Amino acid sequence: MSATTAEDVIAGIEEKYRTCLDTGLKVYEKAETLIKINAVTAVVFLAVGGFFGVLVALTRWPAVHLLPAELFYLVLTAHGAAVLLFWIIFFEIAVLYFASAIILNCRLAAPKVAWLGYVLMLVGSLLATVAVLQGESSVMFTSYVPMQAAPNFYLGLILFAVGALLGCFVFFGTLVIAKEEGTYEGSIPLVTFGALTAAIIAIFTIASGAIILVPTWLWSLGLISEIDSVTYKLVWWGMGHSSQQVNVSAQVSIWYVIAALVLGAKPLSEKVSRTAFLLYILFLQLACAHHMLAEPGISSEWKVFNTSYAFYLAVLGSMIHGMSVPGAVEAAQRRRGFDKGIFGWLRHAPWSNPAFSGMALSVVLFGFLGGISGVVLGTEQINLLMHNTLYVPGHFHATVVLGTTLAFMAITYLVVPLIFRRELIWPRMAQWQPYVFAIGVAGTSLFMMGAGTLGVSRRHWDITFSEAALSFDYPGMAFLMMGLNGIFGVIAGIGGLMFVLVVVGSLLFGKPRGAAEVKANPVVAGGEAASTYGSEGTLKLPGTITLVSIFFLAFVLYYFINWKFLSEVWPLS
Amino acid sequence: MHWPEIIWISIAFVWGLVMFLAMIYWHIEGEQNLSNEAYRITPDAFAEKTEAMAEAYTVREEGETGIPVVHPPPGSEVYMLARLWEWCPILELEKGQSYRLHLSSMDWQHGFSLQPTNINLQVHPNYEMVLTITPTETGVFGVVCNEFCGIGHHDMVGRIYVVE
């Protein structure tokens, strides 16, 4: 062992920690503070970005048509950046620190670097947000060239990405320290493995971002004369879509950790779940092709191979998790004695625990709405029915909001008592929150997909074309869908507000969680299952088998219905 | 590994192959495929070609808008250009006939969204996309821009007529 490492070890021993009353794990102060600050910043961006989202939904509700055009496009840009980037990535950094330092019983590597990363992310996110709010950067989240934003918009995103990169390095460093200091036994637990997947994909993502955003920034400063628009899209989506795969990895890890903490559930087979995560690393990056299917100058061979992640191998990964997570829950429930019939385990699941219900809704809605629509949308030829229509945001609200955001909300209900050591205020509101939010977002996803199927454009202020020289009438059904989308957008907004109220209220006014509270209100049934390696033993899973069969049937039917839709379109070649 | 997992993974893997092969099958048997044909072109050169077509085949002007309505011969090369914030010209095509449609942008990216048929393509500056289309129904079709292109984006609507 070199001198530096020894010093590090000594510093580690001296670092302050407490022993968690709920789980018995060592929690180091510096790691805990960094988790808190990243999570709180994330929630602030969720509140702001969510509010913008409601404004967008209200403007696209034809009867309300809230904002004027210029403000609508500004708010839509701000909505995308605040929630898709800032909320999610700040929270993911907190997840990375949690999955390494807390789960592995270890101190955090280089807390100062972690703080530097945080500051860079904060400065970057504020810089980009201010640039958007000043009105010179209403270029949408995707900022397709040659449309140009203010230089600070790009610079902000670059700083943010560099900060996130530092966060990933701290995570890797912590894994190394944990191994050297032997803070865990055997292999790293599944949750940490999933977070590792997320961090590895994040490196690829951030590299793509740097490759495209740095020249674009220089171009906005006038130092580079031209950026090719097709190349921009290809590389930008190397960041834009891969970052969604970071989200999927993080959210799936959270599904497993919630099942483990709340029910003591173990994955059906560790190795299978790990392999599924590995498939994400190997194939998900190909997904930038999803955004290139309607572009000129790209060969069909390239499109077919990449859009399908080779042979849908990343989809295979998600389908494996889609069985493994409910299967783990079913097995754990049956072990706990809820063994009656096919669905007795499900009926007796802790539906009033928002961590559990949020996770369960996230699994089901991500799969049924987000997963299936994503595969259909990403089919080379079918894409031309939906490219740039509202079907696209319909799909990704089902993945990113119902999948990722809902999973992050669910784990927050465990993070507040375990890390912030506060009791939830208004537990009743917390209990209802995942349902209200899920119903709202599921509604907006479905109605956007419906409107998109009818051809309604995304990112569009006026689908009546009232001031256009030539006009076109979308079918009446499309307007009905947009109205319903508005209504459900408001419901989603209420669900989001409930979350922010409960979380912020609990942090400010919640009762500190001491030994008495831990005893009276246990939140963790199986801390062991989260922080160790191991699979379920023998099991029977009739419920899970029924659920995945229903899923598969829905998938196949919907997939072929869309080929039927395609066959009715004008022949193209 | 447990048997339900083994079965599920096998089914999911085979389904992935089916979906992969479906795209290839559609290239062989399906009628709706995007061509891979595209060229680099300057906005000026594309505008020139569009104007040449319009000059040769304009049949009337669209109401008070003054936008030319062009009726090119079946089987010919037809052009539609996108710019802030209009599609030009208006095309009049014949049902059941095939045309080689060329699309390009004069400035930013635009989205060619043909409604209610629902064909959606991305239009880039400096790239000329060429594809063969065959209208199968008569009527008035809107060309909605569905790629955000600034403050006039929602007013950017073009038109294609399909006649007998």
Side-chain angles (χ1 to χ4, degrees):
Chain A
M1 195 181 282
S2 73
T4 357
T5 322
E7 268 168 31
D8 282 349
V9 171
I10 292 162
I13 292 164
E14 283 171 355
E15 232 174 76
K16 268 198 242 163
Y17 69 88
R18 66 180 173 87
T19 305
C20 178
L21 294 170
D22 285 272
T23 58
L25 290 169
K26 274 188 201 168
V27 180
Y28 286 88
E29 195 178 275
K30 285 177 182 168
E32 195 173 46
T33 312
L34 277 153
I35 292 170
K36 285 180 182 174
I37 188 78
N38 278 287
V40 167
T41 313
V43 171
V44 171
F45 275 109
L46 176 68
V48 174
F51 173 68
F52 288 150
V54 174
L55 295 181
V56 169
L58 286 174
T59 306
R60 295 219 60 172
W61 183 349
V64 178
H65 213 218
L66 183 69
L67 300 177
E70 206 163 331
L71 201 53
F72 168 74
Y73 293 126
L74 184 156
V75 164
L76 184 50
T77 307
H79 168 62
V83 278
L84 196 55
L85 276 179
F86 307 145
W87 140 250
I88 285 180
I89 296 178
F90 272 114
F91 200 92
E92 274 162 0
I93 296 294
V95 170
L96 287 184
Y97 296 163
F98 180 84
S100 55
I102 307 291
I103 297 278
L104 296 182
N105 231 352
C106 177
R107 71 197 164 85
L108 197 69
K112 281 183 184 151
V113 176
W115 276 106
L116 177 63
Y118 172 76
V119 170
L120 282 172
M121 286 171 69
L122 188 66
V123 170
S125 54
L126 291 177
L127 207 59
T129 306
V130 169
V132 172
L133 295 180
Q134 282 173 336
E136 298 303 314
S137 304
S138 298
V139 292
M140 301 295 132
F141 169 62
T142 44
S143 56
Y144 288 152
V145 301
M147 192 189 291
Q148 201 174 60
N152 278 351
F153 176 78
Y154 307 110
L155 180 62
L157 296 185
I158 293 167
L159 292 178
F160 182 79
V162 172
L165 192 63
L166 293 181
C168 293
F169 289 148
V170 169
F171 169 78
F172 293 133
T174 307
L175 295 191
V176 172
I177 290 180
K179 191 160 184 69
E180 276 192 1
E181 296 182 359
T183 61
Y184 62 97
E185 285 166 26
S187 300
I188 53 171
L190 185 60
V191 184
T192 313
F193 187 84
L196 176 61
T197 313
I200 290 170
I201 302 173
I203 301 293
F204 171 86
T205 298
I206 294 167
S208 304
I211 289 169
I212 199 63
L213 285 174
V214 171
T216 309
W217 175 50
L218 296 175
W219 168 72
S220 73
L221 289 169
L223 300 174
I224 288 179
S225 63
E226 195 193 337
I227 306 263
D228 180 77
S229 60
V230 174
T231 311
Y232 175 92
K233 271 186 100 164
L234 180 72
V235 185
W236 195 93
W237 281 109
M239 170 186 70
H241 207 108
S242 306
S243 65
Q244 306 318 313
Q245 326 301 4
V246 177
N247 300 344
V248 173
S249 300
Q251 116 204 0
V252 173
S253 306
I254 286 173
W255 293 346
Y256 283 112
V257 80
I258 290 177
L261 288 173
V262 174
L263 298 169
K266 294 180 196 164
L268 298 178
S269 309
E270 275 270 1
K271 287 209 173 94
V272 171
S273 296
R274 279 169 199 243
T275 310
F277 274 119
L278 206 60
L279 289 173
Y280 285 164
I281 300 183
L282 295 176
F283 296 103
L284 277 173
Q285 304 83 312
L286 309 182
C288 62
H290 292 176
H291 306 268
M292 309 303 291
L293 297 175
E295 311 298 310
I298 296 171
S299 76
S300 291
E301 291 81 357
W302 186 90
K303 288 178 184 172
V304 168
F305 182 81
N306 286 282
T307 198
S308 66
Y309 313 104
F311 317 103
Y312 289 97
L313 293 175
V315 174
L316 178 66
S318 287
M319 285 172 79
I320 292 173
H321 292 305
M323 166 178 250
S324 191
V325 174
V329 170
E330 178 169 6
Q333 283 287 85
R334 289 189 188 277
R335 193 163 5 95
R336 285 152 55 101
F338 302 110
D339 203 18
K340 255 198 207 133
I342 296 181
F343 288 123
W345 61 280
L346 203 55
R347 272 198 302 281
H348 291 99
W351 292 108
S352 57
N353 177 345
F356 177 83
S357 64
M359 178 273 279
L361 289 165
S362 170
V363 174
V364 171
L365 295 169
F366 175 81
F368 274 87
L369 297 184
I372 295 177
S373 67
V375 169
V376 169
L377 182 58
T379 303
E380 191 212 351
Q381 295 95 337
I382 293 176
N383 180 265
L384 71 89
L385 293 176
M386 298 151 176
H387 171 73
N388 268 356
T389 68
L390 271 172
Y391 194 93
V392 179
H395 153 70
F396 72 68
H397 279 75
T399 53
V400 179
V401 191
L402 290 171
T404 309
T405 296
L406 197 52
F408 288 4
M409 285 174 166
I411 189 83
T412 304
Y413 290 117
L414 295 177
V415 167
V416 169
L418 294 179
I419 299 292
F420 289 90
R421 280 173 291 159
R422 297 279 179 176
E423 293 289 283
L424 293 179
I425 59 163
W426 304 318
R428 255 278 195 272
M429 199 198 294
Q431 190 179 325
W432 283 101
Q433 188 274 331
Y435 297 98
V436 176
F437 188 71
I439 289 170
V441 182
T444 59
S445 288
L446 280 170
F447 293 119
M448 278 196 274
M449 284 191 235
T453 304
L454 295 170
V456 178
S457 166
R458 69 185 291 201
R459 297 172 167 175
H460 201 283
W461 180 69
D462 181 17
I463 59 167
T464 63
F465 309 108
S466 56
E467 284 164 21
L470 296 169
S471 196
F472 167 75
D473 295 324
Y474 282 115
M477 182 60 94
F479 286 86
L480 178 66
M481 298 254 185
M482 295 314 292
L484 288 167
N485 175 55
I487 292 169
F488 279 84
V490 171
I491 297 173
I494 292 169
L497 184 65
M498 288 163 74
F499 173 75
V500 172
L501 287 178
V502 170
V503 171
V504 175
S506 301
L507 298 192
L508 294 177
F509 311 114
K511 222 163 88 187
R513 189 169 168 85
E517 283 74 21
V518 172
K519 203 162 184 198
N521 178 25
V523 294
V524 170
E528 282 288 288
S531 56
T532 50
Y533 180 97
S535 313
E536 286 288 351
T538 51
L539 41 87
K540 56 169 189 176
L541 303 166
T544 301
I545 292 169
T546 311
L547 289 177
V548 297
S549 304
I550 295 170
F551 170 80
F552 187 68
L553 208 66
F555 194 166
V556 173
L557 276 176
Y558 186 68
Y559 179 75
F560 285 115
I561 285 172
N562 278 281
W563 280 111
K564 173 84 173 65
F565 286 158
L566 180 71
S567 72
E568 290 161 0
V569 169
W570 295 2
L572 301 164
S573 60
Chain B
M1 246 204 261
H2 308 280
W3 67 265
E5 285 182 298
I6 295 170
I7 294 176
W8 178 240
I9 293 168
S10 311
I11 291 174
F13 181 74
V14 171
W15 174 235
L17 282 181
V18 168
M19 293 193 296
F20 179 79
L21 293 173
M23 291 189 283
I24 296 168
Y25 168 81
W26 202 261
H27 273 284
I28 301 164
E29 291 292 328
E31 291 195 308
Q32 293 78 12
N33 287 291
L34 296 187
S35 77
N36 296 326
E37 193 178 345
Y39 304 95
R40 292 238 172 220
I41 192 164
T42 62
D44 287 345
F46 190 82
E48 221 166 87
K49 291 208 262 183
T50 310
E51 275 157 28
M53 171 197 71
E55 235 165 69
Y57 305 115
T58 295
V59 287
R60 61 177 187 276
E61 283 187 353
E62 177 71 28
E64 288 167 10
T65 63
I67 304 170
V69 179
V70 178
H71 188 123
S76 67
E77 312 287 320
V78 301
Y79 297 83
M80 187 175 266
L81 67 78
R83 66 178 162 227
L84 304 170
W85 288 285
E86 61 176 352
W87 297 96
C88 199
I90 293 172
L91 297 173
E92 187 172 84
L93 308 177
E94 291 173 25
K95 183 182 158 186
Q97 300 291 339
S98 296
Y99 300 85
R100 276 168 53 81
L101 175 66
H102 299 238
L103 296 170
S104 189
S105 165
M106 298 294 103
D107 33 60
W108 293 348
Q109 291 186 42
H110 297 283
F112 175 92
S113 177
L114 186 67
Q115 297 297 335
T117 313
N118 216 1
I119 293 171
N120 302 281
L121 306 167
Q122 192 79 7
V123 183
H124 285 256
N126 303 316
Y127 286 88
E128 177 181 19
M129 186 189 222
V130 188
L131 70 166
T132 305
I133 61 164
T134 313
T136 51
E137 54 199 327
T138 59
V140 183
F141 297 86
V143 180
V144 177
C145 178
N146 71 1
E147 181 57 72
F148 173 69
C149 58
I151 191 60
H153 165 56
H154 46 269
D155 295 330
M156 184 168 168
V157 184
R159 185 169 288 177
I160 292 179
Y161 291 102
V162 180
V163 296
E164 284 293 343

